Amino acid sequence: MKITGFRSLTTVHDWGRRTGDVNGVQSTDATVVPVLIIETDEGIEGVGLGAHPDVARVFAAVEGEDPRSVVALYDRMLAWVFKTGHSGAVFGTIGAIDMALWDIKAKAMGEPLWRALGGRERFVPGYASGLEYSLPDDELATLYGRFAERGFRGGKLKGGIDLDRDLPRLEIMRTALSRNSRHPAIMLDANESWNHAQAARYVCAVEQRLDLTWVEEPLRRWDAAGMAMLRGKVRAAIASGENLTGLEQYGPLLDANALDIVQVGTVWGITHFLRVATLAHSHDLPVSTVAYNGNPIAHAASAVPNFLTHEVQDLAFPVGLDIDQEFDDGGIVLGDRPGIGIVVDEERLASASAVPAAAASGPHVRPERAGLRMVAEPDVIEEPATAGGRRTP
């Protein structure tokens, strides 16, 4: 079997709500979902999800190769971009190709990827995470109520700017999830918006009212010393790692004992996740996946001994993607379809509504005052940015 080509496609995910965090909110209810199809000479095609802007350059590293040599091809892709480096968008491109190659390998075996990787259970425990920063309180309660109907016993709230706003919202989420547990897991995600003093003050204030399971990305992703010090000041576990692009970036954090929970971004691919999970396991730490459309890394999570929980951001899937999984009993139930279980309806993708270009501010852009706020500042979350103005960070 040989890799012969690729197709780069796009669809959308309609969330039915604005999504975002303290760094900003998306300008529409829908977001773009890039889809990569890797072709072979035997007709088996692999599906990878996530942005892949450098695919034309990186594809040369795998063209003509046997896709079943996926781990070796992953390292070949890293070597291919050696001089310019493999961080950022390049790493995302490698991740999308890697995901598609694992899909091909499992399809060639006639097995779902979770079984091909040695998983024993099709059930992957999860937690609810609605990216709900822009929602008013009543809609927040409705959203986490829907997650509770699927059995979820843990949830994560986006916050970190206004304690008076966050505390009641954390309690709303806890109340919604309490139907499934007397003590639901409650997490707070600051998305790197604090400095060290802000993080310590904020989390300690929250912990006077609530028992946080973890606080996520309290400081910049590389701040090993800061997160290590924060661990000694708060009760909540420290979780971070979703934006690290490469195994080597975890070393300083683990050496400094900065993390309680090692997180991995889904968009960086399956091989990366498996390697980070092994590295975390060598430090006796749990690993947790940060979600992306279709939850493809859930297959790999089922085969990892130190896997903790998988973020679930929505109970629906992008337009034109038929995904063989369900949400029940507070997690993801993987199906038996060979590969990662995604069937792409390319005609529906072609007719999917276009999504406007990303706004000048949003969760993808770090605000000017992030890490510099002394007190809560005005926070406009209802109106998207316009071409002639800017939103208050």
Side-chain angles (χ1 to χ4, degrees):
M1 186 187 301
K2 302 295 181 184
I3 298 168
T4 57
F6 68 88
R7 302 193 301 281
S8 182
L9 311 171
T10 300
T11 187
V12 298
H13 186 121
D14 187 354
W15 300 82
R17 62 184 187 275
R18 299 286 177 90
T19 55
D21 55 44
V22 294
N23 296 317
V25 176
Q26 299 286 359
S27 58
T28 68
D29 288 4
T31 55
V32 173
V33 181
V35 180
L36 179 65
I37 309 293
I38 297 294
E39 305 163 346
T40 72
D41 61 352
E42 295 189 12
I44 300 177
E45 296 185 336
V47 179
L49 301 182
H52 47 272
D54 287 319
V55 64
R57 176 164 69 106
V58 178
F59 181 75
V62 301
E63 187 173 16
E65 299 287 333
D66 189 324
R68 293 167 295 187
S69 304
V70 56
V71 174
L73 292 181
Y74 180 83
D75 289 319
R76 182 173 171 81
M77 287 188 284
L78 293 180
W80 200 260
V81 298
F82 166 67
K83 280 292 185 181
T84 55
H86 61 251
S87 62
V90 178
F91 201 62
T93 299
I94 291 171
I97 296 174
D98 175 74
M99 196 181 301
L101 297 185
W102 277 107
D103 190 30
I104 292 171
K105 184 178 180 72
K107 285 175 178 175
M109 297 171 66
E111 292 188 335
L113 182 57
W114 64 268
R115 192 179 296 281
L117 287 171
R120 179 171 175 267
E121 299 284 348
R122 68 179 67 242
F123 177 77
V124 177
Y127 67 92
S129 175
L131 312 178
E132 72 309 297
Y133 187 71
S134 67
L135 295 185
D137 290 356
D138 58 340
E139 294 182 25
L140 177 76
T142 299
L143 173 64
Y144 281 99
R146 289 199 294 269
F147 280 114
E149 290 171 359
R150 300 296 184 94
F152 284 89
R153 295 176 286 277
K156 185 171 75 183
L157 188 84
K158 298 290 189 179
I161 290 179
D162 188 342
L163 185 65
D164 292 336
R165 181 177 188 264
D166 287 348
L167 282 172
R169 290 168 68 82
L170 285 164
E171 291 177 340
I172 288 170
M173 183 176 68
R174 181 178 63 178
T175 298
L177 299 172
S178 291
R179 74 175 68 176
N180 300 317
S181 171
R182 291 187 298 113
H183 300 290
I186 301 299
M187 288 77 86
L188 177 64
D189 189 355
N191 288 100
E192 302 186 55
S193 65
W194 293 326
N195 62 35
H196 180 260
Q198 288 172 332
R201 290 174 60 203
Y202 209 99
V203 176
C204 288
V206 172
E207 290 182 329
Q208 292 178 21
R209 290 264 298 272
L210 292 160
D211 183 27
L212 286 178
T213 302
W214 79 54
V215 57
E216 184 168 324
E217 289 195 318
L219 304 172
R220 298 312 304 273
R221 64 197 70 171
W222 54 76
D223 190 355
M227 282 191 271
M229 286 189 290
L230 185 62
R231 284 188 70 215
K233 296 182 178 181
V234 302
R235 299 195 309 270
I238 305 299
S240 191
E242 67 174 281
N243 289 309
L244 300 183
T245 52
L247 191 65
E248 67 284 350
Q249 295 185 10
Y250 286 85
L253 294 165
L254 297 177
D255 290 343
N257 293 319
L259 301 179
D260 296 289
I261 296 161
V262 179
Q263 294 184 304
V264 187
T266 291
V267 292
W268 308 133
I270 289 169
T271 300
H272 172 68
F273 167 76
L274 292 171
R275 289 180 173 181
V276 173
T278 300
L279 178 62
H281 196 36
S282 72
H283 287 73
D284 199 25
L285 290 173
V287 66
S288 178
T289 40
V290 175
Y292 188 68
N293 302 276
N295 310 307
I297 303 298
H299 285 267
S302 70
V304 169
N306 56 328
F307 179 74
L308 181 64
T309 185
H310 194 299
E311 181 181 34
V312 175
Q313 297 175 343
D314 200 18
L315 300 174
F317 298 122
V319 173
L321 300 187
D322 181 352
I323 301 178
D324 189 20
Q325 61 182 237
E326 298 177 353
F327 304 104
D328 191 27
D329 196 27
I332 301 168
V333 183
L334 300 168
D336 289 317
R337 183 181 291 164
I340 60 175
I342 299 178
V343 173
V344 180
D345 184 338
E346 296 191 36
E347 290 186 5
R348 287 200 65 194
L349 265 62
S351 63
S353 300
V355 174
S361 63
H364 54 285
V365 177
R366 183 169 170 84
E368 293 176 5
R369 298 297 296 173
L372 298 175
R373 304 179 185 94
M374 295 181 66
V375 296
E377 297 177 2
D379 181 33
V380 179
I381 60 174
E382 291 80 14
E383 297 296 330
T386 62
R390 72 176 184 87
R391 290 166 49 188
T392 303

